[in-house]
Amino acid sequence: SSKYEDVTLLIYAIMIYENYNRPELMRKIDILKYKLFRETGKFGIMQVDKNKVVSNEESIEIVRKKLERIYTTNYKNKDKVTVSFLIPKYYKSEKDEVKTIYEIIKEFIKK
């Protein structure tokens, strides 16, 4: 698998994980709270920290760029990208659930 495929699959895994943890109804409530009280929060399907509301599509692009930035600033050998390295850098902690989802998606694609 290529590094781009791995990062793409990781984006899918993050999307599934974040959507499960904060479903669409809750995200809509967060948007309403922002509009009423200007509370900053996590927005979009990817739950990105922002001081403004972002769409699902924008949140995916923000995460893609963030993962790309982590990847390009931390890898000396650009062909050796590992999801085990990216996940804790992205989340600032281990997220075994995200890695498990990633592995399931990767296995599913092989079939």
Side-chain angles (χ1 to χ4, degrees), residues 81-100:
V81 64
T82 66
V83 170
S84 295
F85 177 83
L86 287 174
I87 292 171
K89 290 281 188 191
Y90 176 78
Y91 279 106
K92 307 287 190 268
S93 69
E94 288 293 333
K95 289 284 186 208
D96 292 334
E97 300 95 337
V98 174
K99 186 162 190 213
T100 300

Side-chain angles (χ1 to χ4, degrees), residues 44-98:
I45 195 168
M46 304 299 273
Q47 290 292 280
V48 294
D49 285 316
K50 285 307 228 180
N51 57 0
K52 68 175 186 151
V53 174
V54 296
S55 69
N56 291 330
E57 294 82 2
E58 289 169 320
S59 72
I60 294 167
E61 184 62 16
I62 290 166
V63 169
R64 186 194 66 75
K65 286 179 180 177
K66 183 174 181 179
L67 288 172
E68 190 175 275
R69 194 168 40 257
I70 292 167
Y71 172 77
T72 56
T73 58
N74 289 284
Y75 275 96
K76 302 296 181 232
N77 182 349
K78 302 292 188 223
D79 295 326
K80 299 273 185 185
V81 64
T82 66
V83 170
S84 295
F85 177 83
L86 287 174
I87 292 171
K89 290 281 188 191
Y90 176 78
Y91 279 106
K92 307 287 190 268
S93 69
E94 288 293 333
K95 289 284 186 208
D96 292 334
E97 300 95 337
V98 174

